[in-house]
Amino acid sequence: TYANIVAIAQTNIKRLLAYSGIAQMGNILIGMAAGTKMGNDAILFYLLTYLFANIGAFAVVIAMSQAIGSEEINDYSGLNRRSPFLAFSMLLFLLSLAGVPPLAGFVGKFVVLLAVVEDQRLWLAAIGALNVAISLYYYLMVVRRMYLRPPTALQPIPVDPVTRCVLYALMGGIVLIGVFQEPFLRLMASAIQF
């Protein structure tokens, strides 16, 4: 909760994602609190979903930092006009981190919260749901800048072919896992013998 609140005040995108990462680890602790096989399976699945979204978000940050020499959130203003591909990539990664359906992050958060609900810890599930709402706020602040604010500069931001391929693969991963989660959930369940 503390990390989610502090993330709201950040002006640097890397710091925002770092505090977001701390908050995401809080979701893993929620799964651990269940202390059940379902909780452990949920943690593994959550880590898989988080991996794709977090690496993707940082890949966009690296591409932007190399192109414009800045990591300030203000410099993401109007990114959709300068690089629609980078803006859309970041949109998908942030929405997955926030837990918006049908992306992988939604399923990851859902199974973690379901594990504590099954363990009769409704208060913990309520805290988790509240934190999802808080995180949605600061992720959407970045999205609003990218799509609704005027750009800070007019020159297009090029994306090299390797970065483009990596981002396509990561976006495909969060959509694929989100839509076809059953095989991945079974894989995580078979990975842990409880």
Side-chain angles (χ1 to χ4, degrees):
T1 302
Y2 172 78
N4 273 327
I5 292 169
V6 171
I8 293 171
Q10 298 309 307
T11 59
N12 181 289
I13 192 74
K14 276 189 182 175
R15 282 198 305 267
L16 182 139
L17 290 174
Y19 280 109
S20 162
I22 295 167
Q24 302 290 350
M25 292 309 108
N27 291 324
I28 290 171
L29 291 175
I30 289 174
M32 290 177 82
T36 61
K37 168 95 167 87
M38 183 178 181
N40 291 339
D41 297 345
I43 290 169
L44 271 184
F45 184 80
Y46 188 87
L47 286 170
L48 176 68
T49 65
Y50 179 71
L51 175 77
F52 278 88
N54 205 44
I55 290 176
F58 273 104
V60 173
V61 169
I62 291 167
M64 284 287 292
S65 179
Q66 289 174 345
I68 65 172
S70 172
E71 296 168 355
E72 294 301 305
I73 294 173
N74 278 339
D75 292 321
Y76 283 70
S77 296
L79 179 59
N80 185 49
R81 294 184 196 147
R82 298 180 68 192
S83 177
F85 177 72
L86 284 178
F88 182 73
S89 300
M90 188 62 129
L91 170 70
L92 276 185
F93 298 133
L94 293 178
L95 291 180
S96 185
L97 287 171
V100 174
L103 303 173
F106 167 75
V107 183
K109 288 184 181 186
F110 181 77
V111 294
V112 165
L113 294 178
L114 193 62
V116 291
V117 166
E118 185 182 79
D119 196 45
Q120 302 299 315
R121 297 176 194 241
L122 298 179
W123 63 272
L124 195 51
I127 290 172
L130 175 67
N131 276 283
V132 168
I134 295 170
S135 70
L136 186 60
Y137 174 76
Y138 62 80
Y139 291 131
L140 288 179
M141 284 186 347
V142 176
V143 171
R144 184 183 68 160
R145 279 197 187 283
M146 293 189 307
Y147 283 91
L148 300 178
R149 293 278 174 90
T152 54
L154 297 176
Q155 68 269 24
I157 298 173
V159 181
D160 65 85
V162 173
T163 302
R164 193 174 287 273
C165 288
V166 168
L167 291 175
Y168 273 128
L170 293 167
M171 285 188 290
I174 61 172
V175 172
L176 181 72
I177 295 169
V179 174
F180 302 105
Q181 68 270 20
E182 187 63 33
F184 298 100
L185 286 166
R186 278 199 308 268
L187 180 66
M188 298 303 125
S190 66
I192 296 180
Q193 300 302 318
F194 198 78

